[in-house]
Amino acid sequence: MASQTSTVPRDGTDPDILPRPDFAELVRVSARIGCLSFGGPAGQIALMHRELVEQRRWIDESQYLNALNLCHLLPGPEAQQLAIWIGWKLHGVRGGLAAGLLFVLPGALLILALSVLYAHAARLDWFAALFLGIKAAVLAIVLQALQRVAGRALNTGFKRAIALAAFVALTLFALPFPMVVLGAGAIGMAAAAFRPGLLALAPASAPAPTGRRPWGKTIRAVIIGLTAWLAPLAAVLVLLGPDHVLSRIGLFFARLAVVTFGGAYAVLAYMAQQAVTGFGWLSAGEMADGLGLAETTPGPLIMVTQFVGFLAAFRTPAPFTPLVAGVLGAALTTWVTFAPCFLWIFALAPWMERLEQAQRLKGGLAAITAAVVGVIANLTLWFALHVLFTRTVPVRLAGLQATLPDPASLDWRAALLAVLAAWLIFVARRNIIAVLALSALGGLALGSVG
């Protein structure tokens, strides 16, 4: 009989057994990841993979990828949901709470501090010049996001048709964002059932698991999660009434949290249009400023919602002082935006293996991702109109509606800085932080030029 070579190291450890950290170590590493999670979801997911899979081996590769696939199926920031799942896998609910909270807390505190500074300094000339460059850089960054998502998502003619239909629906028919996203999901589920080739779906890699289904865990998680998520909003509605700005903020962002499929860029256009034209909480330029701040801070990009919530409450503060109202608005917005992520993971993580084999869900997600390309294209157009031009003209024709720029209102400084930012991103291949910094300096340099 041939002898077998042992794979056990000399120290006696088994390389196939993953080390399990104690809770204190999980907290320390989660805090480190939360402070270093720059670069959007791709960078954050890569950071967690390097820290937790490659270096510490707390999670194996297949577990990590399966969890990431689950997070892609859920509304909300997938990187934070992945952090919650890793914490849950290692230390149950308390691990999920620690990892998820520490993933967003550093960025939330930094965005709050920057929002306070912005609210008090936005009318200063040098500050306005600084953000002239940041707004122009944001336009180039959104264009880069469009290119990346389109290159990854539009690999069939059917998906390209979905993307075009989504762009037309939003740009010319002004259909609500939730309707476009949910409609795309329904189309994708139908295609997955009857013509999966249209979406280039791979067949299920393994049979659906058998055994007892974890309904009890899911029901408990849903009851506790819904109560915790909606309790602060209910308190605001009871104490301040449904017409108070905090009530409007809470209701709007709570609705937004359940339709945020496809990443932050997908929902930004809808959020921006509602916050700017629907509620009048801030201007289009300020919306771009907030996105610029979110790009330069750790944590999910959707943290820009906190900036919007702060300014909305800061400007309509009664019965509070502006600062107190702003902090309450930021806190409520952050809570209703991110708390559902814990609900989704705690309720659905026990079902991961079954969801991995759900072809119709995969089809719905593939179609939504394709529609997101059209959504981001609409966002790019919206930002371009409001960053490069100071006046726009609404046009209605045969039931269609569009917004066109007034050519005479072109801001040549913003256009020049946008070209600079695009060159830095697409030609010089500079990272986002460098692009924002150089564009901001360019804005300061051009700020005094008429």
Side-chain angles (χ1 to χ4, degrees):
M1 178 182 293
S3 62
Q4 294 180 341
T5 302
S6 174
T7 59
V8 178
R10 292 180 179 178
D11 62 4
T13 60
D14 186 343
D16 293 327
I17 299 177
L18 298 175
R20 185 175 184 271
D22 60 29
F23 184 71
E25 188 177 5
L26 173 64
V27 169
R28 286 195 299 271
V29 174
S30 297
R32 168 184 164 82
I33 290 172
C35 293
L36 298 177
S37 58
F38 295 91
Q44 293 155 3
I45 291 167
L47 171 65
M48 285 187 284
H49 186 273
R50 184 176 69 248
E51 293 276 345
L52 305 175
V53 178
E54 296 176 3
Q55 295 182 0
R56 293 175 172 82
R57 297 185 65 248
W58 291 351
I59 303 291
D60 70 31
E61 186 77 24
S62 62
Q63 289 176 331
Y64 188 86
L65 293 178
N66 288 340
L68 181 58
N69 288 336
L70 169 64
C71 296
H72 282 312
L73 292 171
L74 304 175
E78 63 267 31
Q80 190 213 3
Q81 291 164 349
L82 183 59
I84 296 170
W85 179 86
I86 291 169
W88 173 84
K89 183 71 174 177
L90 295 172
H91 278 283
V93 171
R94 70 168 184 163
L97 290 172
L101 289 172
L102 289 170
F103 187 81
V104 298
L105 192 58
L109 294 174
L110 190 51
I111 283 284
L112 179 60
L114 293 172
S115 299
V116 174
L117 175 63
Y118 186 94
H120 287 91
R123 292 181 176 84
L124 300 178
D125 291 341
W126 68 268
F127 201 79
L130 184 76
F131 276 88
L132 174 69
I134 289 177
K135 281 193 281 279
V138 164
L139 177 58
I141 291 168
V142 174
L143 187 62
Q144 181 192 41
L146 174 62
Q147 180 196 47
R148 286 180 172 176
V149 176
R152 183 178 70 247
L154 304 185
N155 57 349
T156 70
F158 186 67
K159 290 182 179 180
R160 289 190 285 272
I162 291 175
L164 179 61
F167 176 76
V168 171
L170 293 167
T171 306
L172 298 181
F173 290 93
L175 293 183
F177 169 79
M179 180 185 296
V180 173
V181 169
L182 296 178
I187 292 171
M189 293 180 73
F194 300 105
R195 295 283 301 278
L198 294 174
L199 295 168
L201 293 179
S205 58
T210 58
R212 187 175 180 180
R213 298 183 177 184
W215 285 112
K217 294 180 180 179
T218 296
I219 292 171
R220 285 194 299 272
V222 168
I223 293 173
I224 296 172
L226 281 176
T227 301
W229 176 31
L230 298 177
L233 177 56
V236 170
L237 287 167
V238 170
L239 295 174
L240 299 175
D243 294 327
H244 193 273
V245 65
L246 289 176
S247 298
R248 294 179 183 271
I249 288 170
L251 289 170
F252 174 68
F253 287 110
R255 290 195 302 268
L256 199 69
V258 300
V259 295
T260 312
F261 294 93
Y265 285 111
V267 78
L268 277 174
Y270 173 65
M271 181 187 72
Q273 290 165 2
Q274 292 297 311
V276 172
T277 61
F279 294 104
W281 288 336
L282 72 174
S283 70
E286 290 170 333
M287 187 71 235
D289 292 341
L291 183 56
L293 293 178
E295 291 278 11
T296 59
T297 53
L301 183 59
I302 199 64
M303 194 69 75
V304 67
T305 56
Q306 179 182 317
F307 174 83
V308 176
F310 178 90
L311 285 187
F314 182 87
R315 290 168 175 171
T316 316
F320 309 102
T321 64
L323 181 59
V324 170
V327 171
L328 289 174
L332 181 61
T333 301
T334 303
W335 179 259
V336 298
T337 298
F338 292 101
C341 295
F342 296 91
L343 167 59
W344 311 143
I345 295 299
F346 294 155
L348 296 178
W351 296 82
M352 183 189 301
E353 292 183 359
R354 288 177 168 84
L355 290 173
E356 276 290 300
Q357 308 306 320
Q359 285 293 93
R360 291 194 180 188
L361 280 178
K362 290 182 178 179
L365 176 65
I368 287 173
T369 305
V372 161
V373 177
V375 174
I376 298 177
N378 174 258
L379 172 67
T380 306
L381 177 62
W382 189 87
F383 268 127
L385 290 174
H386 291 90
V387 170
L388 302 180
F389 299 90
T390 58
R391 291 189 302 275
T392 58
V393 180
V395 176
R396 298 180 183 273
L397 179 64
L400 304 179
Q401 60 184 50
T403 301
L404 300 178
D406 179 358
S409 69
L410 175 68
D411 186 337
W412 67 269
R413 298 170 303 170
L416 179 62
L417 291 168
V419 171
L420 169 66
W423 182 85
L424 289 170
I425 288 175
F426 294 104
V427 179
R429 305 291 183 182
R430 303 299 292 269
N431 62 50
I432 287 176
I433 301 297
V435 172
L436 285 164
L438 292 171
S439 298
L441 291 174
L444 285 173
L446 295 177
S448 60
V449 180

